Amino acid sequence: MTYSISGIYRQLSKNNLSAEKSRALDNLGRVYARLGKFDKAIEAWTIKLPLAENDLEKTWLHHELGRCYFEMGNNEKAVEHGTQSFAFAEAAVDSTWQINSKVLLAEAFQKSGDNEQAVSHFQEALKLSQFYNDEPAQLAIKNALKGLSVSEE
């Protein structure tokens, strides 16, 4: 027996299980994303978005939605969600998600051929990683900038 995302959502809603509904949508999105079924992951996380309880959860959701759109080649939607993810990461004062959001934005701009914007976002991500002393992120970002034939300035 298979269930649709909306069917599961309706069943959980009918039984007034909002915490369980949110967790189920989170898990469904993760599974679908890992399977490469990005459209289904987007569906689950889009339904979950209004249920997000805080800025940290919203930053994560927008980042994952942006990553799915990026993987599907929809760079415009990836930038839209990356921008929203960064705004919520700033509000949550979460360094990891600030860096992750900037990297997503850089990759989306790079993939769409806007290397100037890509470099700008990679450099902002690098500055954040240096400020927060995140050495693994610094290394990855420096490598990405090298791939664009840019120094880390």
Side-chain angles (χ1 to χ4, degrees), residues 98-111:
Q98 288 174 17
I99 295 165
N100 287 343
S101 298
K102 283 295 180 181
V103 168
L104 172 61
L105 286 164
E107 291 173 332
F109 280 116
Q110 181 180 9
K111 195 172 180 182

Side-chain angles (χ1 to χ4, degrees), residues 1-12:
M1 178 183 281
T2 60
Y3 296 95
S4 68
I5 294 171
S6 58
I8 292 169
Y9 182 78
R10 279 193 303 277
Q11 188 62 36
L12 291 169

Side-chain angles (χ1 to χ4, degrees), residues 41-73:
I42 289 168
E43 181 182 353
W45 286 328
T46 300
I47 294 169
K48 178 183 170 53
L49 199 52
L51 305 174
E53 296 181 0
N54 57 53
D55 289 336
L56 190 57
E57 189 174 8
K58 290 174 187 173
T59 194
W60 175 84
L61 278 167
H62 280 290
H63 181 273
E64 295 306 308
L65 285 163
R67 177 62 55 194
C68 285
Y69 282 114
F70 174 80
E71 295 296 336
M72 293 172 60

Side-chain angles (χ1 to χ4, degrees), residues 15-148:
N15 294 314
N16 200 26
L17 300 169
S18 78
E20 291 81 0
K21 178 172 42 179
S22 180
R23 194 168 37 258
L25 290 166
D26 181 2
N27 291 334
L28 281 169
R30 288 176 194 255
V31 169
Y32 281 129
R34 285 198 179 128
L35 293 173
K37 296 182 178 188
F38 300 112
D39 56 331
K40 293 288 192 183
I42 289 168
E43 181 182 353
W45 286 328
T46 300
I47 294 169
K48 178 183 170 53
L49 199 52
L51 305 174
E53 296 181 0
N54 57 53
D55 289 336
L56 190 57
E57 189 174 8
K58 290 174 187 173
T59 194
W60 175 84
L61 278 167
H62 280 290
H63 181 273
E64 295 306 308
L65 285 163
R67 177 62 55 194
C68 285
Y69 282 114
F70 174 80
E71 295 296 336
M72 293 172 60
N74 188 336
N75 298 315
E76 187 175 314
K77 291 291 266 183
V79 166
E80 178 184 320
H81 284 284
T83 301
Q84 290 174 317
S85 177
F86 184 75
F88 285 116
E90 279 190 311
V93 192
D94 189 284
S95 62
T96 301
W97 286 110
Q98 288 174 17
I99 295 165
N100 287 343
S101 298
K102 283 295 180 181
V103 168
L104 172 61
L105 286 164
E107 291 173 332
F109 280 116
Q110 181 180 9
K111 195 172 180 182
S112 65
D114 188 343
N115 286 349
E116 186 176 316
Q117 282 281 10
V119 168
S120 174
H121 285 286
F122 275 132
Q123 287 175 334
E124 288 177 40
L126 181 60
K127 286 177 187 170
L128 286 166
S129 67
Q130 291 166 336
F131 179 79
Y132 291 115
N133 202 27
D134 186 336
E135 291 182 23
Q138 288 174 46
L139 181 61
I141 295 164
K142 285 177 182 180
N143 285 335
L145 283 166
K146 283 180 190 168
L148 287 168

